[in-house]
Amino acid sequence: IQEDEAFNDLMSDFIEDNQATNKRLGQFFTPQDVAKLMAALTYSSTSIEEFEEKENKSIADPTCGSGSLILGTLQALKNIKGFTDEHYQKVNVYMNDIDEDLSKIAFFQVLLNSLFHMKPLGKLYVEAKDLITEYTEYKNELIFLSN
């Protein structure tokens, strides 16, 4: 993680290539280039003023897998003109996956990227639950507050 670019997804391809997906849960991992394209399209017209209008900016993925869409989004933010590493502190990240192991992988991918590359996030919040049947329950929470 430390030797790679900040917020690069290292696990999705590894899991897919080694057929470590849980077929019973219908797992599919978003390829890095697709995650980066979606994030780039989402933030291509965002100005730093729009970003700074809100005290905190939240990004979320309710079916995060190993975190590729969140990581792609965190990478795309740096392309906003005027965005600095300090702006990451305004970003709160919320992730969930039904697979507890994948939730942990996503949590640690984002957390270690944030720490190793010195880009502290506001809040990193991850749960492992079925959002359809357990949406009101707090379950298997992993929370990291960088401040």
Side-chain angles (χ1 to χ4, degrees), residues 3 6-7 10 14 29-30 69 73 76 84 87 95 123 147:
E3 294 173 7
F7 300 115
L10 300 176
F14 176 81
F29 294 85
T30 307
L69 292 173
T73 300
T84 65
H87 284 99
M95 297 186 289
K123 179 193 258 188
N147 296 331

Side-chain angles (χ1 to χ4, degrees), residues 46-133:
T46 302
S47 69
I48 195 66
E49 292 79 21
E50 289 175 285
F51 186 87
E52 290 177 336
E53 279 178 10
K54 296 181 181 175
E55 189 167 316
N56 289 306
K57 176 120 178 106
S58 296
I59 58 173
D61 188 352
T63 56
C64 67
S66 63
S68 61
L69 292 173
I70 293 292
L71 291 164
T73 300
L74 290 169
Q75 246 184 14
L77 291 175
K78 70 177 187 232
N79 296 325
I80 297 173
K81 189 176 180 175
F83 191 88
T84 65
D85 288 351
E86 289 77 36
H87 284 99
Y88 280 110
Q89 291 181 348
K90 290 183 154 204
V91 178
N92 294 327
V93 177
Y94 299 90
M95 297 186 289
N96 178 78
D97 200 274
I98 194 169
D99 186 329
E100 187 174 347
D101 292 332
L102 282 179
S103 292
K104 290 176 183 175
I105 288 171
F107 177 79
F108 284 110
Q109 275 210 107
V110 174
L111 175 66
L112 293 175
N113 266 284
S114 173
L115 293 175
F116 285 151
H117 294 283
M118 293 181 276
K119 298 177 185 319
L121 300 170
K123 179 193 258 188
L124 175 57
Y125 182 84
V126 182
E127 282 191 278
K129 64 182 180 182
D130 183 339
L131 283 179
I132 295 171
T133 60

